[in-house]
Amino acid sequence: MINNLKNNNFAKNIKFFQPEKIYTWLKIIIHQVLFSAKNISFRQLLRGIQKFNYKGLFLKIKQFDYKGRWLKITFEIRISILVFLSLLSLFLILDLIFSLPDEVDYSTIIISSDSTVVHAFLSTDEKWRMKTELSEITPLLRKAIIYKEDKYFYFHTGINYFAVFRAFVNNILQKKRTSGASTITMQVARLLEPKERTYFNKFIEMFRAVQLEFHYSKDEILQLYLNLVPFGGNLEGVKTASVMYFEKAPNHLSLAELTALSVIPNKPNSLVLGKNNDQIIEQRNKWLKRFAKAGLFPKQDIEDALNEPLDAFRHESPKMAPQYAYRLKSLYPELPIIATQLEVNKQAKVQNLVKNYINRLYNRNIKNAAVMVIDNQKNSVVVYVGSADFANTEDAGQVDGVVAIRSPGSTLKPLLYGLAFDKGIITPKLKITDVPVSYGGYEPHNYDQKYHGFVTIEFALINSLNIVAVKLLQQIRTQQFVNSLKKLGFDQIRKDEKKLGLSLVLGGCGVNLEQLTKMYHAFANKGLFTELNWLAADKDKGGFQVISAESAYMLTEIMSKVKRPDMPMEWQNSADLPRVAWKTGTSYGRKDAWSIGYNKNYTVGIWVGNFSAEGVQELSGAESAAPLLFEIFNTLDYRSEAEWYHVPKNIDFRLVCSETGLPINDFCKNILSDSYIPSVSTNQICNHLKMSYISPDSSISYCKTCLPEAGYIKAWYPNYLPEMITYYDENQINYRKVPIHNPACERVFAENKPEITSPMHNVEYYVDKTDNTSIMLSCNAANDVDKVFWYVNDKFIKSSAPTKKVFFTPSEGNLKISCTDDKGRNTDISIVVKMINF
């Protein structure tokens, strides 16, 4: 501080001491000693005063030898400090009684990752008052505003006493208001607490200005001024003006633009951009010339600013990503600026794509769509489109399709397959039967109403076979699948947990687009599920493995295949088809079409349909949602250079039989390679053939009990499951049967007994009393069975071929149903029949 005193003009000119300048010098001394730091608050400075006593302050000043005259200065300083302390005590009391009205009601704005305002909301008092951050106050803006409004802003404590005195004298002499004395701080006080312009209110304004200096730093006061300064109509603040007039942030304004804005607050109602641009240019250039005269900015910058045209006008407030904006505003109502990780250019492109895409489908009665895009590297939401057109009230455009609960169709199947991979139940090339099944009366059907017999797991997933999915769910157990979905944040599934059954995996539940997209994002992230980053300040929060990296890799390899039925017609031979892993889904009644895909860089989730839940015959995931998925990938990541997924270390490859997908046996001839997870995937050896003992003419077969000593041969026969035999027989598909068993054999077999598929064991059946209702009897039998015999309560009903359906009229009560095949193998079940009036 002392060095500062020695170097300033006061130290050089103190020898010309004049009593009338005591106040001026005292002001400079106190400023240099106490206010030398420009960005320190008045409160902080007062804390500093406590470190000085009269003697300490006296000694510091005494170092100037002005031939004894310093004694008089010291006397004046001591008196000033006493007055200052008295005034300070009074001020502190008044500050406690009359608290500063410094709460500002800002407009909530949503900003993108590059700080662009993507959406803005009116404040509660119907003003556009966007908050300007300190980082947006550039040196250019700071210099221009301070020079124009308050040159001594950093050299006073809220009040410029000389300006006040000058204005008071001029107003008295002229008998009218000829000049003002308001500092920036006083203007902030007036903007915070508007009052009629009277001398009494001016004193209140001055008190409030001192309060502001006491509570805020200079930069914070300047920020308040720039946030509250009026620009006509309901526009307040520099950020509001720069966004609404120039469609850019304050820190991107040119010298000409910010100078043009700086002249408007003097006459906000008569200087309106878009209406009075010529007058504004005239005022702008006048101040630019003053800046030049003061040497405030480089000469070339001034010349460029003078020649810059002004064609600004008031634009509409930013309205991009409306559903996203409303959602975040409701989540963070206390934040005036919600800084997000949304990427404005990507958002604009996808938003436009969605609108144009739905326009093309509109004549087919498909009226809406929603899209969510996740950046896989940043783990952040970069695109969020809630509907095709927010302004379309006729088609419920205000609904947020990203969070609307809908039926998922087949989109949950990949998670089920991933869990099955981790259980060791399946591998990609494993064969499974796609034939009619019944689980407790629930009989799933495929989307195409067809059955495909033996299919590989990868074929089943690519073709989205419902029967295979239900079989896998039955093996894994519904509750475990539900638990996995609950862990992933499927809230509606959590609520409906007790109502869910095997139909869950086919779309018999409620989900939303965000939940599905996050699940597929986990597949893209090697099975690791993490919560998304929405705000700019969000950091990765860690996560958990929903499936293993090995399972995720196998899913990705299957879902990235291009030869599949859900490939859109127009993309089947396209050279621009992006390399992505994706799955489609269509809900029951064709009310929802889904397509969700990912590559290394992005995960894209798409829903297409009507918010009215109206079904459309032409609506499907393949033809209605997948084309948009590919368009978006080509827009965001055309010919992506990112590497494809590498094979995890814990995945290995083995030779398997093409008939079953199991490790090869000695009799296996057709061999292929399959991926598997060592120590997890099943090691069961292929058993698609079984050896039988038959007569030389292949007319009968023998078991070990009736096997003759000679006169037989060994032969290999297909080892089909009973359900597969039933499927072949019902569809008249030829297959190689084991010859009829030796009729002379007296052995009763225990294995391969018939499997009763209808009615279901331990199920109650309600029968109409007034109607002659029948119950169907059906079974699956081994391939060596030609006839089965049906009994009810041990009473013979009928004999038939194993694949033929038999019907009987039941009586009320507990019934025992028995099925015996021609080998003597028997199966019993129990049902309860109740007679009611429908």
Side-chain angles (χ1 to χ4, degrees):
M1 294 295 184
I2 295 172
N3 289 334
N4 288 339
L5 285 170
K6 288 180 179 180
N7 293 331
N8 64 22
N9 290 331
F10 169 74
K12 295 177 182 178
N13 300 322
I14 194 70
K15 60 183 180 179
F16 303 112
F17 170 78
Q18 298 175 17
E20 63 270 17
K21 293 187 178 179
I22 290 177
Y23 180 77
T24 305
W25 293 332
L26 176 61
K27 178 176 170 60
I28 295 173
I29 292 172
I30 293 175
H31 170 68
Q32 291 293 330
V33 174
L34 301 180
F35 292 85
S36 59
K38 292 185 179 180
N39 292 324
I40 193 167
S41 70
F42 193 25
R43 181 190 293 274
Q44 291 171 315
L45 291 171
L46 289 178
R47 293 196 192 105
I49 290 175
Q50 297 172 5
K51 299 178 182 178
F52 298 98
N53 54 34
Y54 294 145
K55 184 176 180 181
L57 188 58
F58 169 81
L59 289 173
K60 289 184 178 182
I61 298 171
K62 183 180 178 182
Q63 301 213 17
F64 296 100
D65 183 6
Y66 305 119
K67 301 179 181 178
R69 294 181 186 178
W70 60 267
L71 293 173
K72 187 172 183 180
I73 298 172
T74 305
F75 175 74
E76 294 292 333
I77 290 174
R78 285 185 175 178
I79 291 177
S80 298
I81 290 177
L82 290 174
V83 173
F84 171 75
L85 293 175
S86 300
L87 292 174
L88 175 61
S89 300
L90 177 62
F91 168 76
L92 293 175
I93 294 170
L94 292 175
D95 183 61
L96 290 173
I97 298 172
F98 303 104
S99 59
L100 184 66
D102 54 358
E103 292 294 327
V104 180
D105 179 19
Y106 289 110
S107 299
T108 299
I109 59 173
I110 314 297
I111 64 173
S112 63
S113 58
D114 64 353
S115 299
T116 300
V117 179
V118 296
H119 202 100
F121 298 89
L122 283 166
S123 62
T124 56
D125 59 350
E126 300 294 311
K127 296 289 183 68
W128 292 111
R129 190 184 295 115
M130 303 179 194
K131 185 177 182 181
T132 305
E133 295 277 47
L134 284 170
S135 60
E136 294 178 304
I137 304 174
T138 61
L140 201 69
L141 177 59
R142 186 191 308 271
K143 280 184 181 180
I145 292 298
I146 290 177
Y147 184 84
K148 182 178 177 298
E149 296 294 331
D150 187 359
K151 297 176 185 176
Y152 303 103
F153 175 63
Y154 287 112
F155 299 94
H156 60 65
T157 58
I159 304 169
N160 187 331
Y161 297 101
F162 297 103
V164 170
F165 179 74
R166 183 191 67 241
F168 177 76
V169 171
N170 288 340
N171 293 345
I172 293 296
L173 294 176
Q174 301 294 330
K175 297 182 180 181
K176 63 179 180 178
R177 185 175 181 272
T178 59
S179 62
S182 294
T183 61
I184 286 178
T185 313
M186 291 170 68
Q187 291 184 62
V188 171
R190 184 166 64 250
L191 292 168
L192 286 171
E193 194 176 31
K195 292 180 180 294
E196 184 182 353
R197 293 200 173 191
T198 65
Y199 283 110
F200 176 74
N201 287 339
K202 179 61 72 174
F203 280 111
I204 294 177
E205 185 182 305
M206 293 166 70
F207 170 70
R208 293 298 193 195
V210 177
Q211 277 186 298
L212 282 166
E213 296 279 349
F214 179 73
H215 290 282
Y216 294 97
S217 69
K218 286 293 186 178
D219 280 355
E220 289 170 336
I221 293 169
L222 180 61
Q223 181 187 19
L224 275 171
Y225 171 77
L226 293 175
N227 284 329
L228 297 172
V229 62
F231 285 92
N234 65 342
L235 304 185
E236 292 185 6
V238 167
K239 185 162 189 169
T240 301
S242 62
V243 169
M244 301 293 266
Y245 287 127
F246 297 104
E247 295 185 302
K248 60 177 73 172
N251 53 344
H252 294 154
L253 292 173
S254 67
L255 178 58
E257 289 168 339
L258 67 86
T259 306
L261 288 181
S262 72
V263 304
I264 294 175
N266 300 116
K267 296 179 180 179
N269 296 321
S270 58
L271 294 177
V272 179
L273 278 168
K275 293 182 180 179
N276 313 108
N277 284 15
D278 291 339
Q279 293 95 310
I280 294 173
I281 289 174
E282 183 181 344
Q283 292 295 316
R284 178 199 73 181
N285 291 348
K286 181 176 74 173
W287 277 100
L288 284 170
K289 290 173 183 176
R290 291 180 180 178
F291 295 161
K293 188 176 181 180
L296 207 62
F297 303 107
K299 182 179 179 181
Q300 186 59 50
D301 291 353
I302 296 290
E303 290 179 4
D304 292 342
L306 288 169
N307 294 322
E308 187 174 314
L310 181 65
D311 53 5
F313 60 92
R314 180 166 176 171
H315 300 268
E316 285 191 2
S317 62
K319 294 179 180 178
M320 189 179 289
Q323 286 96 338
Y324 177 78
Y326 277 101
R327 177 177 177 178
L328 291 184
K329 185 176 186 291
S330 65
L331 288 174
Y332 307 100
E334 74 287 353
L335 295 180
I337 300 176
I338 303 177
T340 73
Q341 299 199 29
L342 203 74
E343 296 189 15
V344 66
N345 291 331
K346 292 182 175 65
Q347 175 71 26
K349 289 177 181 178
V350 174
Q351 205 165 287
N352 190 52
L353 267 179
V354 172
K355 187 172 184 177
N356 291 336
Y357 184 78
I358 291 301
N359 285 341
R360 300 199 300 269
L361 299 181
Y362 201 85
N363 289 334
R364 303 183 199 173
N365 202 32
I366 301 172
K367 301 177 178 178
N368 249 307
V371 175
M372 185 177 186
V373 179
I374 300 171
D375 186 316
N376 294 335
Q377 306 304 317
K378 300 177 183 177
N379 196 38
S380 60
V381 179
V382 294
V383 174
Y384 189 112
V385 180
S387 65
D389 184 1
F390 186 81
N392 184 351
T393 56
E394 182 179 348
D395 298 314
Q398 290 78 32
V399 172
D400 188 350
V402 174
V403 295
I405 300 297
R406 315 293 297 187
S407 167
S410 298
T411 54
L412 295 177
K413 289 177 182 175
L415 175 62
L416 176 67
Y417 280 74
L419 294 172
F421 284 136
D422 282 333
K423 284 281 187 181
I425 298 172
I426 59 173
T427 58
K429 294 291 193 296
L430 182 74
K431 287 286 187 72
I432 193 168
T433 58
D434 176 40
V435 296
V437 291
S438 178
Y439 297 100
Y442 173 58
E443 299 179 0
H445 299 277
N446 290 324
Y447 180 78
D448 59 4
Q449 299 299 316
K450 297 179 181 178
Y451 304 99
H452 304 84
F454 279 118
V455 296
T456 63
I457 289 298
E458 64 182 14
F459 179 91
L461 179 55
I462 289 174
N463 288 269
S464 198
L465 299 182
N466 292 340
I467 292 171
V468 174
V470 172
K471 281 186 175 182
L472 292 177
L473 181 57
Q474 197 271 338
Q475 292 182 63
I476 286 179
R477 303 300 178 194
T478 303
Q479 190 57 53
Q480 181 180 340
F481 190 51
V482 168
N483 290 341
S484 296
L485 292 168
K486 284 163 51 181
K487 198 173 180 181
L488 289 171
F490 286 83
D491 295 328
Q492 192 62 41
I493 288 176
R494 182 186 302 278
K495 294 176 184 177
D496 299 336
E497 179 176 359
K498 295 181 180 179
K499 307 175 186 177
L500 301 174
L502 293 174
S503 63
L504 162 67
V505 73
L506 306 185
C509 59
V511 305
N512 64 39
L513 178 61
E514 178 185 335
Q515 293 161 352
L516 287 174
T517 309
K518 287 164 66 177
M519 183 179 79
Y520 280 74
H521 171 59
F523 301 156
N525 196 26
K526 300 180 181 179
L528 178 66
F529 178 84
T530 54
E531 287 299 332
L532 300 178
N533 299 325
W534 295 80
L535 303 185
D538 285 349
K539 304 295 182 185
D540 288 343
K541 309 169 187 67
F544 60 90
Q545 290 289 149
V546 60
I547 58 174
S548 68
E550 294 75 28
S551 289
Y553 175 79
M554 287 192 265
L555 283 178
T556 300
E557 286 300 290
I558 294 172
M559 292 194 292
S560 59
K561 294 183 182 301
V562 296
K563 292 183 178 180
R564 50 197 287 177
D566 59 348
M567 173 67 72
M569 291 290 294
E570 65 266 35
W571 287 89
Q572 287 185 3
N573 298 310
S574 174
D576 294 325
L577 181 70
R579 187 179 186 185
V580 295
W582 90 96
K583 180 76 180 73
T584 60
T586 307
S587 68
Y588 180 77
R590 295 180 179 266
K591 299 177 181 179
D592 308 279
W594 305 88
S595 187
I596 308 171
Y598 59 89
N599 63 10
K600 273 281 197 174
N601 292 329
Y602 298 101
T603 300
V604 178
I606 294 170
W607 169 86
V608 176
N610 296 312
F611 289 133
S612 63
E614 179 183 357
V616 180
Q617 185 60 33
E618 296 181 357
L619 185 72
S620 71
E623 297 302 326
S624 304
L628 180 57
L629 177 80
F630 297 142
E631 284 187 34
I632 291 174
F633 266 108
N634 276 348
T635 299
L636 300 181
D637 202 21
Y638 184 67
R639 297 190 183 277
S640 175
E641 296 181 358
E643 289 186 349
W644 194 244
Y645 295 88
H646 296 294
V647 180
K649 292 180 180 179
N650 290 332
I651 274 191
D652 208 343
F653 295 86
R654 65 186 179 188
L655 296 177
V656 297
C657 176
S658 64
E659 298 293 333
T660 60
L662 293 171
I664 57 176
N665 208 327
D666 294 338
F667 49 70
C668 296
K669 295 181 179 180
N670 299 318
I671 299 171
L672 48 81
S673 177
D674 188 21
S675 57
Y676 76 108
I677 308 173
S679 302
V680 174
S681 300
T682 178
N683 287 318
Q684 180 185 346
I685 301 299
C686 178
N687 60 354
H688 79 278
L689 295 178
K690 66 177 181 179
M691 180 181 288
S692 295
Y693 300 101
I694 61 174
S695 61
D697 62 357
S698 300
S699 60
I700 61 173
S701 62
Y702 304 101
C703 66
K704 290 185 178 180
T705 300
C706 63
L707 184 68
E709 293 183 1
Y712 68 90
I713 60 175
K714 297 179 181 179
W716 293 99
Y717 284 88
N719 187 23
Y720 295 138
L721 294 172
E723 63 185 27
M724 202 64 206
I725 294 169
T726 301
Y727 170 74
Y728 283 154
D729 289 343
E730 287 183 345
N731 290 274
Q732 298 180 347
I733 299 174
N734 293 325
Y735 64 96
R736 191 175 178 218
K737 282 187 176 182
V738 177
I740 187 171
H741 189 67
N742 181 13
C745 182
E746 298 180 354
R747 177 186 173 190
V748 176
F749 293 89
E751 67 274 8
N752 296 328
K753 58 187 179 180
E755 176 189 348
I756 299 176
T757 57
S758 177
M760 301 304 301
H761 182 51
N762 286 338
V763 172
E764 291 184 350
Y765 287 82
Y766 293 88
V767 177
D768 190 352
K769 288 182 178 180
T770 62
D771 190 13
N772 193 23
T773 305
S774 297
I775 291 179
M776 183 179 75
L777 302 174
S778 66
C779 71
N780 291 327
N783 68 353
D784 59 350
V785 175
D786 290 322
K787 187 178 288 188
V788 295
F789 305 86
W790 291 100
Y791 300 83
V792 177
N793 287 340
D794 297 324
K795 180 181 178 181
F796 178 71
I797 299 297
K798 193 174 183 179
S799 64
S800 68
T803 58
K804 188 174 180 180
K805 306 293 187 297
V806 175
F807 294 87
F808 79 101
T809 302
S811 59
E812 188 171 16
N814 296 325
L815 301 182
K816 173 186 174 184
I817 310 294
S818 303
C819 181
T820 304
D821 66 17
D822 53 13
K823 303 297 181 294
R825 297 171 290 204
N826 180 75
T827 300
D828 297 327
I829 65 166
S830 297
I831 65 171
V832 177
V833 176
K834 294 184 177 181
M835 299 292 185
I836 62 172
N837 291 317
F838 286 97

